[in-house]
Amino acid sequence: MTTLLPHQEHANKLAQRYLGFKIHQYVWFMISGFLCDCCQAIIDYFISTIYIFDWEKVTVCWTLSYCASICVRHISHRYLVFGEYEGTYCQSLSKVYLAYLSSIILRYVGQLLVLCCVGYITSVSGICTCFCQSLTYCRDLITLHLPCL
């Protein structure tokens, strides 16, 4: 049984009382991920306004914003989902960067495939990105052996 954080226990008590069910910890992970995706979108926007080259602008801006948002994700997941780190902050953060590296590589390859096969269509690329990002959330839970499943 996973130990819940204080805000998770409180939310579970309210949900049990008023809705008749408890909130699974994966819901907290998805909330944290959504908030971090919003932060990444803002970071991506700012990077795209200062990125002056035309070469792979969408992919480069997304990659840089994703790398910058990993630190935000790490902190958000700590406070909203999992609690204290194992080991030091730097050890924990480096493990997260290593785990998310595969997301960066897969996203880049996927983006190139979409651009080559479909041509540059922003909505298709965005839909593929959202789908791949959802899959990486599930993969990250397994890869990091996080106690929320």
Side-chain angles (χ1 to χ4, degrees):
M1 179 85 189
T2 304
T3 304
L4 297 177
L5 299 175
H7 67 276
Q8 292 171 338
E9 289 178 12
H10 181 67
N12 269 341
K13 286 178 186 176
L14 291 174
Q16 186 70 41
R17 178 186 295 164
Y18 296 110
L19 303 174
F21 62 86
K22 292 184 179 182
I23 300 171
H24 195 276
Q25 193 172 15
Y26 187 70
V27 172
W28 293 105
F29 185 76
M30 293 305 294
I31 292 169
S32 178
F34 171 76
L35 294 173
C36 294
D37 287 347
C38 292
C39 289
Q40 181 185 348
I42 292 167
I43 295 168
D44 186 76
Y45 171 76
F46 285 117
I47 291 174
S48 70
T49 61
I50 61 173
Y51 186 74
I52 59 173
F53 304 105
D54 289 330
W55 181 81
E56 299 288 339
K57 184 172 184 169
V58 172
T59 301
V60 170
C61 291
W62 181 89
T63 302
L64 293 174
S65 68
Y66 188 69
C67 289
S69 74
I70 290 174
C71 188
V72 174
R73 292 175 191 281
H74 186 248
I75 292 168
S76 175
H77 291 348
R78 174 190 178 195
Y79 287 108
L80 291 178
V81 186
F82 305 116
E84 292 298 320
Y85 309 118
E86 283 186 19
T88 67
Y89 172 78
C90 290
Q91 288 173 332
S92 180
L93 185 60
S94 65
K95 288 178 187 177
V96 171
Y97 267 101
L98 285 173
Y100 284 8
L101 180 63
S102 63
S103 299
I104 295 168
I105 293 168
L106 289 173
R107 166 54 163 79
Y108 182 72
V109 170
Q111 183 75 16
L112 289 177
L113 288 173
V114 168
L115 293 175
C116 291
C117 297
V118 179
Y120 187 75
I121 301 173
T122 305
S123 59
V124 172
S125 176
I127 291 168
C128 291
T129 299
C130 290
F131 178 72
C132 291
Q133 192 67 33
S134 297
L135 292 177
T136 59
Y137 285 146
C138 296
R139 190 254 8 230
D140 293 341
L141 286 172
I142 295 166
T143 302
L144 296 172
H145 304 289
L146 298 175
C148 62
L149 291 177

